Amino acid sequence: MKAATIKDVAARARVSVASVSRVLNDQGVVGEDTRRRVMEAVDALSYVPHSGARSLITRKTDTVGVILPDLFGEFFSELIRGMDLAAREKRLHLIVSSSHDDAEEASFAIKSMRGRVDGLIILSPHLDAAALAASMPRSLPVLLMNGGARDVERSSIIVDNHGGAEAMTRHLLDQGRRRVAHVAGPGGNLEAEARRAGYLAAMAGAGIEPVVLDGDFDQASGYRAGAAIAAMDIRPDAVFAGNDMMALGVLLALQEAGLRCPEDVAVGGFDDVPISSLVRPTLTTMRIDIAGTGRRALERLVSLIGDAGESSPAHEIVRPQLVVRESSSSNSGKGGAKAVLAQGG
Amino acid sequence: MKAATIKDVAARARVSVASVSRVLNDQGVVGEDTRRRVMEAVDALSYVPHSGARSLITRKTDTVGVILPDLFGEFFSELIRGMDLAAREKRLHLIVSSSHDDAEEASFAIKSMRGRVDGLIILSPHLDAAALAASMPRSLPVLLMNGGARDVERSSIIVDNHGGAEAMTRHLLDQGRRRVAHVAGPGGNLEAEARRAGYLAAMAGAGIEPVVLDGDFDQASGYRAGAAIAAMDIRPDAVFAGNDMMALGVLLALQEAGLRCPEDVAVGGFDDVPISSLVRPTLTTMRIDIAGTGRRALERLVSLIGDAGESSPAHEIVRPQLVVRESSSSNSGKGGAKAVLAQGG
DNA sequence: CTGTTAGCGCTTTCAG
DNA sequence: CTGAAAGCGCTAACAG
């Protein structure tokens, strides 16, 4: 027993399918009697319109796709949450697709979205703009959140990773720290590279020799880096981790090694994921309003879909904001903790 | 300039649309020459089949929908991650829809999925089974992850919340704690209620007066409860929070109040979200393999979709497992921390 | 105000 | 081996 179609409804209501369609989308004018009969039939059959069929002719799916590199960790879930919130307000569906590390997989995913979505938000920090552009029909509205999208013929929202990293590094230096180490994100990741470059620039500006350890944005790699740092002959007195999850790992490793933070080693992260204000010491970081950025991305995509054709692509820049918490502040007393809790809780 | 259709390809290749279709799905037999011509046309036009149109006739969308109450916190993001992983392996798309607190919204969301998905995973701890059943055509495969779905005519995966809560409460009692308080989840949430009931059962079993504080599964409510507990005349010496996020809040509030955990107050949570092994003290909890459960849910849905008709609905039960960490262990020394780190990092 | 009639882009008999 | 034609369920002119 299959689901009822518009024909079944029409038959039962003894009207034409056109009338049913009209009632359901209240379009045109419909007689009082017709309308009633249709409604009766609709819920007698508990009819629900087939959105696939509808979108074939209306040429809209009321769905947007999100292509993510990964779904791990708080960053992406916050981002999706923001998008979902905005999507819900606009009565749009969200189709998510993740784990696209390489260009090949990503462009396959993009292709397979054709006919399913009205537009795409693409987040692929590993991909260069050229590879992306290749796999996308010009007709599909796309919003890029790709570190390297600055100069591409597509609208984008990009985080000022370089500037943020510089700011964090300078903050650490301003606290009187000299040997500021950096735990870098994965090679080939444009965001990671921008952050590393920002760090290097700030260190160069201060005339201090940089120290870079490898990481991959995961907590475990931060832990390893932290352990390595704790064991160094000339131990750094501050660490700027490429993101909060790694900063967390550093924090734990330091603690394990019997080092105090911030007294012995100050630590700074990047992103301001929710957990950052829930650990002790609370984590100094460069705040990105992650959910807000996700929401914004969806809203911009919607307007791209709206003016179907050609307003020239706009590139929006999100500037992360320094949030000083216990892990880097000289006077990390009770007050600091209180302030953070008020915000985190 | 619109995207190319199968007709355009056929025209350019000078064959019929039927042949194009055959080549693309390699079905039937196609002449070598035809195949080549089609392929050429396909990538000359960079043609991508319109999946919406295809699914109209094949009656499958290769997409599954996920209805969630919320997207906040680590629990749901882990769950989605697991589903996404499984979906990707099976080359399925995932369409997520959240923020369905009330039955009305949820059933609207369910309806609007018709024609978009081949099946649905529904997670709605607020909804009773009856309301759900009403809004679902029998023909749509559905997997319920709903605390109250035990007896409904649909397949389900449910967590043994009652048993888990009992186990945790008993664990706390076994540590020699007597005044074990419970921070409950939101009223009307079936999972929350089962956990509360499990707690009450265990306390009754031990012949100890229960103490229940209100919460809503958010970290902030845990914080408030923790503060309240710290201020009690006869202060509890253990707290079982209804989930990890609230347990975290309790931990922070206790710490704020100058109380030590576990020495003064032991704390236990529920879920084992990733963060639980990253806070200090590390959090004792009832572990659910969240991502694994999500994956399992998707896989079961797929098999439901597979045997289109009627294998009778199966109800799978996930039994949470006690994970003892620092927040409740009597000897919370260096060793404990190490063990946890090895696992968390 | 309502019904008839084309399709949307694709797959799939059924003939050739 | 290939093409013509009939729809999948729905909407949108266009007549009545």
Side-chain angles (χ1 to χ4, degrees):
Chain A
M1 169 203 145
K2 329 173 52 66
T5 77
I6 196 173
K7 275 183 187 164
D8 302 327
V9 177
R12 191 176 222 277
R14 300 156 149 289
V15 298
S16 70
V17 292
S19 292
V20 178
S21 177
R22 284 191 195 99
V23 171
L24 262 33
N25 308 294
D26 36 34
Q27 224 171 81
V29 226
V30 210
E32 194 42 55
D33 187 50
T34 307
R35 153 165 279 113
R36 190 177 41 68
R37 302 233 300 283
V38 169
M39 290 316 254
E40 275 173 21
V42 161
D43 51 49
L45 301 168
S46 61
Y47 166 72
V48 181
H50 189 289
S51 31
R54 174 186 301 198
S55 65
L56 189 54
I57 185 154
T58 56
R59 329 201 115 265
K60 50 204 297 291
T61 59
D62 294 325
T63 303
V64 311
V66 184
I67 308 273
L68 298 170
D70 197 348
L71 219 46
F72 201 84
E74 295 203 289
F75 185 87
F76 296 111
S77 64
E78 271 294 287
L79 200 64
I80 292 185
R81 190 168 69 83
M83 292 178 187
D84 180 80
L85 253 28
R88 151 154 264 75
E89 282 169 18
K90 303 213 180 294
R91 323 228 89 185
L92 290 171
H93 289 267
L94 216 59
I95 171 165
V96 308
S97 179
S98 70
S99 317
H100 303 290
D101 278 343
D102 57 294
E104 191 125 17
E105 261 222 84
S107 77
F108 174 79
I110 291 171
K111 284 206 184 89
S112 75
M113 291 280 188
R114 142 123 149 119
R116 296 178 193 282
V117 299
D118 296 333
L120 238 38
I121 296 176
I122 301 180
L123 210 93
S124 64
H126 293 278
L127 247 55
D128 61 90
L132 275 175
S135 45
M136 295 181 306
R138 306 292 309 144
S139 51
L140 186 70
V142 169
L143 184 86
L144 254 28
M145 300 184 70
N146 177 328
R150 208 173 302 261
D151 40 25
V152 121
E153 272 303 295
R154 292 293 198 170
S155 291
S156 66
I157 295 185
I158 52 192
V159 173
D160 180 12
N161 291 299
H162 190 286
E166 258 187 295
M168 174 57 80
T169 309
R170 266 202 301 270
H171 160 70
L172 261 12
L173 292 168
D174 286 352
Q175 301 295 303
R177 312 289 168 152
R178 302 281 81 187
R179 298 181 303 283
V180 180
H182 175 56
V183 184
N189 182 307
L190 300 168
E191 311 231 29
E193 283 172 2
R195 289 175 191 182
R196 172 201 218 115
Y199 159 79
L200 293 176
M203 293 300 276
I208 306 183
E209 196 66 22
V211 179
V212 178
L213 310 238
D214 287 334
D216 62 10
F217 275 165
D218 270 0
Q219 190 264 343
S221 71
Y223 181 79
R224 285 192 297 273
I229 285 169
M232 282 179 173
D233 309 335
I234 309 174
R235 178 159 32 75
D237 53 7
V239 180
F240 161 40
N243 73 354
D244 284 355
M245 289 316 285
M246 295 197 297
L248 235 70
V250 170
L251 237 38
L252 292 180
L254 256 27
Q255 198 164 321
E256 283 283 284
L259 262 26
R260 291 166 313 159
C261 173
E263 293 83 349
D264 300 320
V265 184
V267 174
F270 207 113
D271 288 347
D272 196 24
V273 295
I275 194 186
S276 298
S277 48
L278 301 180
V279 291
R280 291 301 128 88
T282 52
L283 184 64
T284 291
T285 190
M286 295 304 302
R287 165 179 305 181
I288 301 172
D289 173 11
I290 307 174
T293 303
R295 158 181 292 279
R296 182 95 187 95
L298 193 122
E299 286 168 348
R300 285 204 42 213
L301 178 61
V302 167
S303 78
L304 280 177
I305 294 172
D307 49 62
E310 311 305 337
S311 47
S312 53
H315 303 272
E316 184 171 328
I317 294 182
V318 174
R319 308 223 176 263
Q321 195 189 355
L322 177 66
V323 179
V324 180
R325 298 206 185 96
E326 297 167 353
S327 73
S328 78
S329 75
S330 322
N331 56 335
S332 66
K334 200 86 208 253
K338 272 238 174 73
V340 166
L341 277 166
Q343 162 208 318
Chain B
M1 169 203 147
K2 328 174 52 65
T5 77
I6 197 174
K7 276 184 188 165
D8 302 326
V9 177
R12 191 175 222 276
R14 299 154 149 290
V15 298
S16 70
V17 293
S19 293
V20 178
S21 177
R22 285 190 195 100
V23 172
L24 262 33
N25 309 293
D26 36 34
Q27 224 170 81
V29 225
V30 210
E32 196 40 58
D33 187 50
T34 308
R35 155 164 277 113
R36 191 179 40 69
R37 301 233 301 282
V38 168
M39 289 317 252
E40 276 173 19
V42 162
D43 51 48
L45 301 169
S46 61
Y47 166 72
V48 180
H50 188 288
S51 30
R54 178 192 307 222
S55 65
L56 189 54
I57 186 154
T58 57
R59 327 198 119 267
K60 51 203 297 292
T61 59
D62 294 324
T63 304
V64 312
V66 184
I67 309 272
L68 299 170
D70 197 349
L71 217 48
F72 201 85
E74 295 203 289
F75 185 87
F76 297 110
S77 64
E78 271 295 286
L79 199 64
I80 292 184
R81 190 168 70 85
M83 292 178 185
D84 179 79
L85 252 28
R88 152 154 263 75
E89 281 168 19
K90 303 214 179 294
R91 323 227 92 187
L92 254 33
H93 288 266
L94 217 59
I95 171 165
V96 308
S97 179
S98 70
S99 317
H100 303 291
D101 279 342
D102 57 293
E104 190 125 19
E105 262 221 84
S107 78
F108 175 78
I110 291 170
K111 284 205 184 92
S112 75
M113 291 281 188
R114 142 124 149 119
R116 294 177 194 283
V117 300
D118 296 334
L120 239 37
I121 296 176
I122 302 181
L123 209 94
S124 62
H126 293 277
L127 247 56
D128 62 272
L132 275 176
S135 44
M136 294 181 306
R138 307 289 311 141
S139 52
L140 185 70
V142 168
L143 184 86
L144 255 26
M145 300 184 70
N146 178 328
R150 209 172 302 260
D151 40 25
V152 120
E153 272 304 293
R154 292 293 198 169
S155 291
S156 65
I157 295 185
I158 53 191
V159 173
D160 180 13
N161 291 300
H162 191 285
E166 256 186 296
M168 174 58 79
T169 308
R170 266 201 302 268
H171 161 69
L172 261 11
L173 292 167
D174 286 351
Q175 299 298 301
R177 311 291 170 151
R178 301 283 81 186
R179 298 181 303 282
V180 180
H182 176 54
V183 184
N189 181 309
L190 300 168
E191 311 232 29
E193 282 171 3
R195 290 175 191 181
R196 171 201 220 116
Y199 159 78
L200 292 176
M203 293 300 276
I208 306 182
E209 195 66 23
V211 180
V212 179
L213 310 238
D214 287 332
D216 62 10
F217 275 164
D218 270 0
Q219 189 264 342
S221 71
Y223 181 79
R224 285 191 297 271
I229 286 168
M232 284 180 172
D233 308 337
I234 309 175
R235 177 157 35 75
D237 54 6
V239 180
F240 162 39
N243 73 354
D244 285 355
M245 288 316 286
M246 294 197 299
L248 234 71
V250 170
L251 237 37
L252 293 179
L254 256 28
Q255 197 163 323
E256 283 283 285
L259 261 28
R260 289 166 316 157
C261 173
E263 293 83 348
D264 300 319
V265 184
V267 174
F270 208 112
D271 287 348
D272 195 25
V273 295
I275 193 183
S276 298
S277 49
L278 301 179
V279 290
R280 291 302 128 88
T282 52
L283 184 65
T284 290
T285 189
M286 294 306 300
R287 165 179 304 180
I288 302 171
D289 173 10
I290 308 174
T293 303
R295 157 182 293 279
R296 181 95 187 95
L298 193 123
E299 285 168 349
R300 285 204 42 213
L301 178 61
V302 167
S303 78
L304 281 176
I305 295 173
D307 49 61
E310 311 305 337
S311 46
S312 53
H315 303 272
E316 185 172 328
I317 294 183
V318 174
R319 308 224 177 261
Q321 195 189 357
L322 177 65
V323 179
V324 179
R325 298 207 184 95
E326 297 168 353
S327 72
S328 77
S329 76
S330 322
N331 58 336
S332 66
K334 200 85 210 254
K338 272 236 175 75
V340 166
L341 277 165
Q343 161 209 316

